[in-house]
Amino acid sequence: MDINLVQDQIIEEFEIFDDWMDKYNYLIDLSRSLPIIDEKYKKPEFLIEGCQSRVWLMADMENGTVVYTADSDAVITKGIISLLIRVMSGRQPEEIINNDLYFIDKIGLKENLSPTRSNGLVSMIKQMKLYALAYQAKAKKNN
Amino acid sequence: MAFDINKIRNDFPILKQQVYNKPFVYFDNAATTQKPLKVIERMNKVYRETNSNIHRGVHYLSDITTRDFEHARETIRSFINAKHDHEIIFTPGTTSGINLVAFSFGEKFVSEGDEILISALEHHANIVPWQMLCKRKGAKLRVIPMNDDGELILDEYEKLLSSRTRIVAVTHVANSIGTVNPVKHIIKSAHRLGVPVLVDGAQAVQHGRVDVQELGADFYVFSGHKMYGPTGIGALYGREEILEELPPYQTGGEMVDQVTFEETTFNRLPFKFEAGTPNYIGAIGMAAAVEYLQETGLEEVAVHEKDLLDYGTGRLSEFEELVFFGRAKEKISVLSFVLEDIHPYDAGMVIDKYGIAVRTGTHCAQPVMDRFGIRGTIRASLAFYNTREEIDRLCQAIRKVIQMFK
């Protein structure tokens, strides 16, 4: 599915919530669906340190697509991560690099991406794109 | 004048708004306080009617602003009962004041092998400047430890004091958990060995009367914006004898006497430490905040805040999931806590949607969090314009947090 179709799907899902608490409850549910990273993989090299919450991010190349695994110590942050993975994971590097992530703004969670929040999410998105860039460069080298 | 909470709340226009369609509750007062009309209007008046650079012009408005600025200095002096006006240095805030002392005092008095003593309760602003000084000079930073209630262990302090100690820098009130330190006692012990003491008063001056002469402090620093005044302005009190001995920190205009390309002589106190155009409108606003606090009555403020602290502690204790950090016998109106294994950031996000402003995280005091083995707390820091009803609203929000994340 096109990356923007997934984003539009999420925006539609969030349209039914007119209350913040419902939105958060949904994110809490989503956080539970995200596989937990085993403690032994929560190494410093995968850690994105935020002042408020911490995020761990790993990426692998599978059949020409980048597959992300991530976790956070804060539940709502983790819920947002699960959305980011839904949009970005399992795609070719070019798609990830060139994508404009507009869905977060549209579902009213923009303040979570403000650099001053320091919850690790801004750095996480940057890191996701960097992984994609690295895999793209690697693929080119191998060709 | 009797303490009238409704009248006081009317003095703070920002408190009247709705946030997320709910009445706004501001519990982040340790980060910054809101401003009364008296401060806003005083600064507005300068901008509209009298603004001119100080100490420079021969003209009419420059005279007025200079007088107002120096009057502000006198107001700050009397607020903390310093002996002389020139013992008050205007700075951009507490952090700047500490950096000034760490630099100038360090240049003159600290050398290799010397020790600087701070406490386990410090804000980063009273750790890092001393750390940098130690690195520059090859000196050693020593730390007064605290107990599980968040009180400094004074026996350990006495043991740490030695002939190698050059200065003691401690906070009057801990921003992260509210502990009030026995600074008078700390100063007395240091002075027995001839060691000067800097007190970080950023969280103290807005909660009760501070008398620097009675405390015996050598340096006392605080910020305007945490005591209902504007941002970007603060004060450094230094005892005249010690300030006279220190070399200047920043250099430039205003702080000089004679300048040639070969040599510069420096101005007298307090100007020696006020390089460049000072934030004179900030200083005038800060003085208006002092006047507001004095009109309201610092004793009344302390009584009301003590009531809020006791009520809040009682109400929050009703949640069995809630764990307090900072149970010092002497503390100001700061409620710092976690809700079992619920992440403070998650809690803060839900509390925010109730229109309540709290702070979550480490509160710029990571060593304090490390001491308790936690990554952060939820902190509700109360001011005299807060009410018991607002604490009840916080309890409602906490109940929701527990229900959502358990």
Side-chain angles (χ1 to χ4, degrees), chain B residues 347-358:
Chain B
M349 285 185 68
V350 171
I351 293 169
D352 167 53
K353 292 299 182 291
Y354 275 74
I356 302 170
V358 293

Side-chain angles (χ1 to χ4, degrees), chain B residues 149 176-177 323-327 331 336-338 372 374 376-377:
Chain B
D149 287 338
S176 54
I177 55 173
V323 184
F324 276 115
F325 290 94
R327 292 178 305 260
K331 67 178 276 192
S336 207
F337 57 91
V338 299
F372 290 121
I374 51 177
T377 70

Side-chain angles (χ1 to χ4, degrees), chain B residues 97-111 114-117 130 133 136-137 164-169 194-198 218-219 236 239 241-243 245-249 273:
Chain B
I98 297 171
N99 273 281
L100 189 160
V101 176
F103 179 84
S104 293
F105 184 90
E107 279 307 291
K108 175 101 183 196
F109 294 109
V110 179
S111 15
D114 287 346
E115 292 181 357
I116 312 281
L117 208 50
W130 303 111
L133 165 62
R136 278 200 310 275
K137 296 284 182 173
R164 287 184 300 274
T165 315
R166 285 295 157 267
I167 190 167
V168 176
V195 176
V197 179
L198 174 139
D218 300 280
F219 300 103
L236 157 66
R239 250 184 337 101
E241 299 75 30
I242 202 161
L243 282 182
E245 283 197 64
L246 300 190
Y249 174 44
F273 292 106

Side-chain angles (χ1 to χ4, degrees), chain A residues 75-118:
Chain A
V75 177
I76 293 178
T77 305
K78 200 173 164 184
I80 299 171
I81 287 174
S82 84
L83 293 173
L84 285 169
I85 286 186
R86 192 168 137 198
V87 173
M88 309 257 268
S89 195
R91 296 188 179 278
Q92 290 175 346
E94 303 77 63
E95 264 187 297
I96 297 165
I97 296 159
N98 299 324
N99 176 248
D100 166 36
L101 282 176
Y102 55 82
F103 83 95
I104 301 214
D105 191 1
K106 293 265 188 206
I107 62 177
L109 294 171
K110 192 183 170 192
E111 75 266 29
N112 286 286
L113 293 187
S114 133
T116 56
R117 267 295 167 103
S118 188

